[in-house]
Amino acid sequence: AQKITQTQPGMFVQEKEAVTLDCTYDTSDQSYGLFWYKQPSSGEMIFLIYQGSYDEQNATEGRYSLNFQKARKSANLVISASQLGDSAMYFCAMREPYNFNKFYFGSGTKLNVKP
Amino acid sequence: EAQVTQNPRYLITVTGKKLTVTCSQNMNHEYMSWYRQDPGLGLRQIYYSMNVEVTDKGDVPEGYKVSRKEKRNFPLILESPSPNQTSLYFCASSLSAGETQYFGPGTRLLVL
């Protein structure tokens, strides 16, 4: 069963604008963790941000923030003031509830930032 | 420099010829994991290891083997590779299970 869904295969955003990348997840458990990773064209996977299911505040890391809506089971990544270097593939991932060893990734969203 | 290294970075092989992809981390991490990345499917977990001599299957373990004899190393073994194992492989590690994982640079494998 699909645990993580990213419905936007590709997106464009104008430089300096904000963009939201969607991520929904599927679990009936209360304890889980959500991650976002960036994969530039060079191929490496770069950790961006983490949100725990019990965290009361939305996570933020510099220009990245996570719009966590627990009731909707969504964990959207918001990038403010997009830069050309933000052009990359972005993956949402979930840590399995109660088995911290297992992780599920979405299919990714390719973001293109236009000058 | 704290890092996860993988070798080789690129590999072309033929069906049935055993191969090993090495993974090493210098951060004294307990947890290590292997993933494969395929277009449209994202990353899928192959195997993981919680500590030395402790490994378990991920979502797509068929056709792969792993071992964890030392804390820093976690090799991925394909005993009889097939074309459907053509993929981009990532090794990752974290301080302990469930924490943020740090990824190696990836190994691109082509099985003919």
Side-chain angles (χ1 to χ4, degrees):
Chain A
Q2 187 81 357
K3 300 246 182 193
I4 294 284
T5 302
Q6 294 180 253
T7 57
Q8 307 153 311
M11 287 190 70
F12 285 91
V13 66
Q14 202 68 38
E15 194 178 8
K16 298 180 186 175
E17 291 185 352
V19 63
T20 297
L21 307 184
D22 293 342
C23 172
T24 57
Y25 56 91
D26 180 22
T27 180
S28 55
D29 295 296
Q30 298 301 309
S31 176
Y32 48 89
L34 298 156
F35 303 79
W36 277 92
Y37 285 86
K38 172 184 178 181
Q39 186 179 43
S41 57
S42 50
E44 72 269 30
M45 295 286 288
I46 303 167
F47 166 71
L48 294 178
I49 197 166
Y50 167 78
Q51 179 84 43
S53 59
Y54 290 119
D55 294 342
E56 294 188 353
Q57 297 210 339
N58 286 344
T60 61
E61 289 285 350
R63 293 187 299 111
Y64 304 109
S65 61
L66 203 152
N67 184 0
F68 182 45
Q69 299 191 37
K70 202 167 181 176
R72 293 186 176 185
K73 296 186 180 179
S74 74
N76 299 337
L77 177 70
V78 180
I79 306 175
S80 62
S82 298
Q83 302 172 356
L84 295 178
D86 293 334
S87 293
M89 196 77 166
Y90 289 82
F91 291 98
C92 179
M94 181 174 72
R95 180 186 67 211
E96 169 95 355
Y98 305 115
N99 181 355
F100 284 10
N101 299 295
K102 298 193 79 171
F103 289 81
Y104 301 97
F105 283 75
S107 54
T109 295
K110 185 162 174 56
L111 177 67
N112 286 291
V113 181
K114 298 188 291 185
Chain B
E1 180 191 353
Q3 59 183 348
V4 180
T5 56
Q6 293 179 229
N7 283 292
R9 295 288 313 279
Y10 304 91
L11 180 59
I12 301 174
T13 189
V14 295
T15 299
K17 186 176 181 182
K18 181 179 177 179
L19 66 92
T20 299
V21 183
T22 64
C23 173
S24 184
Q25 50 91 7
N26 63 0
M27 297 171 278
N28 202 34
H29 284 174
E30 286 189 349
Y31 178 89
M32 298 184 75
S33 185
W34 276 103
Y35 296 88
R36 61 177 289 174
Q37 181 181 359
D38 301 291
L41 297 177
L43 281 75
R44 292 177 293 167
Q45 196 171 28
I46 303 171
Y47 269 96
Y48 57 86
S49 169
M50 298 80 87
N51 215 323
V52 175
E53 302 290 6
V54 184
T55 63
D56 205 349
K57 297 176 181 178
D59 268 356
V60 288
E62 296 79 18
Y64 304 94
K65 283 177 58 177
V66 292
S67 68
R68 186 99 180 266
K69 292 184 169 50
E70 305 167 283
K71 197 171 186 178
R72 63 183 292 129
N73 296 324
F74 189 44
L76 179 70
I77 303 154
L78 285 72
E79 298 238 325
S80 183
S82 62
N84 65 13
Q85 292 179 297
T86 291
S87 188
L88 175 59
Y89 291 87
F90 285 102
C91 178
S93 74
S94 63
L95 196 58
S96 60
E99 298 196 18
T100 299
Q101 294 178 85
Y102 296 92
F103 284 77
T107 294
R108 196 167 287 279
L109 172 66
L110 173 60
V111 183
L112 300 172

